[in-house]
Amino acid sequence: MHIIIVGAGKVGQTLINNFTLEKHDIVVVDADFATVDKVVNHHDVKGIVGGGLERKVLIDAGAEKADLLIACTSHDEMNILCCVLAKKIGVNCTIARVRDPAYFREMENMRADLGLDYAFNPELATAHEIASVLKMPLARSVENFAGGKARMAELEIVGTNPLMGKTLKQIAQEYKNKILIAVVIRGDKVIIPHGDFKLENEDRIHIIADEKELILFCKKLNIFKPRAKSVFIVGGGRIGYYLAQELLKSSVSVKIVERDEERATELSALLPGATILIGDGTDQAVLDEENLKGNDACITLTGKDEENVMISLYAKQSNVDKIITKIDRMSILKMVNILGLDTVVTPRYVIANHIVRFVRAYMAKAGEGVKTLYRIGDKAEAQEFAVLEGFEGADIPLKNLELKKNILIGGIVRNGQFILPQGESQLSVGDRVIVISEAKHITQLSQILK
């Protein structure tokens, strides 16, 4: 596909990296020469210096025949107008980054009029991801499939975890839960394991099951933690606002510490159900005075990675049950395991998953595209597909299905019920199927077959 990316900031560069790995033809447009020069030298892409609202710039980028344009500058209005102009020039599909809550609320009504195919909001998507983890705080990360009927939860094997030293066959025989250990991360390796695979200390395992089976399994392991009912948020930016809004709907007690008095006043009006405090979240005295340790979870969402890490480490020392840290910089991300942080979220990676899923679905035949996409490191993916009429692998026992190498059927959802795949299980039309693969960039279900 010929893809134009307007805006080469954090989100733009993450998308460039993803799409170059998937062998798309990329043109990058940015008003800053140094940024374009850096991207062109680092990736095999074409770069154009200019604004996304300049017709000539878009034409030079190939807009007349482009498959897709993604506008992800820091200005919502520019992104929207860029997409409108691109459509008029001839771009087939347009995507805009829209961060302002007021704009984003109106996007559904405005999209058809503007010719906008998709709008994304990194802060809102990140808030949804954090909220999912808070519903299952024992997990480092949680991804929902088939509307929540199936879940993939990431757990770490540490301490006295009874799974340590056991093979997957032994675990299945001993616990008899309808769960599948689909992926194991060991150091820098991402492994799709077989039955004889033995778990070791510090392995991070990705388990697929429905919520009930996950909870039962974790209770048997004595690692279950109930949903967070009181949440302490440091940083009242857009992510903090969206997250608080979602938590309040679930009757969760929310306390936000924000150092900017004007923003704190604004949040008080927007979130009447939350407690808004003016203070410096990096000040230990403030955290102690506001009873950080008395909350079920601490979420650090300031604009500085170092502050988020420092506050999270203090929350860990204070024995807060669940800690979620926002980190943007790659240099800090690489230190996560060394620092012993619990759950880490990175908005640009969250939104990259959403957009890559959209693009793969756009590339597939009608109805056959990816419904959900979850990246596991940079070497494996979990994707959800619908089984449609004409799928050659339908109604054949999985043990007889000729799958490509390093492809695993991770779960089946039929009539709203999760089915743990067995050798005799079959895929039927109407099913939702979860496919685990090494990063093969699959765009439709038929590609899993030899």
Side-chain angles (χ1 to χ4, degrees), residues 189-422:
K189 295 181 179 179
V190 179
I191 303 160
I192 299 177
H194 50 74
D196 294 326
F197 185 88
K198 185 181 290 187
L199 297 178
E200 297 179 358
N201 187 42
E202 296 186 355
D203 280 350
R204 288 155 54 194
I205 62 175
H206 289 259
I207 300 175
I208 300 177
D210 64 20
E211 183 177 11
K212 180 181 177 182
E213 287 293 333
L214 269 174
I215 290 173
L216 287 173
F217 182 63
C218 292
K219 284 182 175 179
K220 288 181 181 180
L221 299 178
N222 291 317
I223 61 171
F224 174 73
K225 296 179 182 179
R227 294 186 178 199
K229 290 297 184 183
S230 57
V231 176
F232 193 101
I233 300 173
V234 182
R238 287 192 178 98
I239 298 175
Y241 163 71
Y242 285 125
L243 177 60
Q245 196 175 47
E246 185 158 343
L247 294 177
L248 290 170
K249 291 176 185 176
S250 302
S251 300
V252 175
S253 172
V254 176
K255 184 178 288 187
I256 301 176
V257 175
E258 168 58 43
R259 60 161 57 97
D260 184 85
E261 185 173 350
E262 185 177 345
R263 177 58 176 169
T265 301
E266 184 181 4
L267 287 172
S268 294
L270 292 170
L271 301 166
T275 301
I276 312 297
L277 306 163
I278 303 171
D280 183 355
T282 62
D283 187 334
Q284 179 182 336
V286 171
L287 298 177
D288 290 343
E289 182 180 341
E290 301 303 339
N291 193 28
L292 166 66
K293 63 182 66 178
N295 288 268
D296 297 329
C298 173
I299 322 295
T300 58
L301 301 172
T302 78
K304 296 182 179 179
D305 290 350
E306 294 85 354
E307 289 187 0
N308 292 335
V309 170
M310 182 172 65
I311 298 165
S312 294
L313 291 174
Y314 182 68
K316 183 178 180 180
Q317 182 183 324
S318 301
N319 296 315
V320 176
D321 208 26
K322 184 65 183 180
I323 302 162
I324 301 177
T325 312
K326 180 177 78 71
I327 295 178
D328 283 309
R329 285 163 45 199
M330 182 59 69
S331 58
I332 303 280
L333 276 171
K334 291 178 179 178
M335 300 168 61
V336 166
N337 289 333
I338 298 172
L339 294 170
L341 296 178
D342 186 0
T343 293
V344 171
V345 294
T346 303
R348 54 177 157 155
Y349 291 154
V350 172
I351 208 61
N353 279 349
H354 285 258
I355 294 179
V356 170
R357 179 187 69 199
F358 176 89
V359 172
R360 291 192 192 173
Y362 176 75
M363 292 171 64
K365 296 176 183 177
E368 291 188 359
V370 181
K371 308 300 179 185
T372 304
L373 168 67
Y374 178 63
R375 300 283 183 81
I376 306 164
D378 60 355
K379 298 176 183 175
E381 297 176 342
Q383 298 184 79
E384 175 194 340
F385 295 92
V387 181
L388 303 179
E389 291 280 358
F391 174 59
E392 294 181 2
D395 303 321
I396 299 173
L398 294 184
K399 65 181 182 181
N400 298 331
L401 208 55
E402 294 190 15
L403 301 176
K404 290 178 181 176
K405 186 179 179 182
N406 294 321
I407 296 283
L408 173 70
I409 303 298
I412 303 166
V413 175
R414 180 176 298 153
N415 298 323
Q417 298 297 315
F418 176 78
I419 299 171
L420 182 68
Q422 307 286 343

Side-chain angles (χ1 to χ4, degrees), residues 414-435:
R414 180 176 298 153
N415 298 323
Q417 298 297 315
F418 176 78
I419 299 171
L420 182 68
Q422 307 286 343
E424 297 296 334
S425 302
Q426 300 179 15
L427 299 180
S428 300
V429 173
D431 288 351
R432 292 294 183 97
V433 56
I434 302 166
V435 175

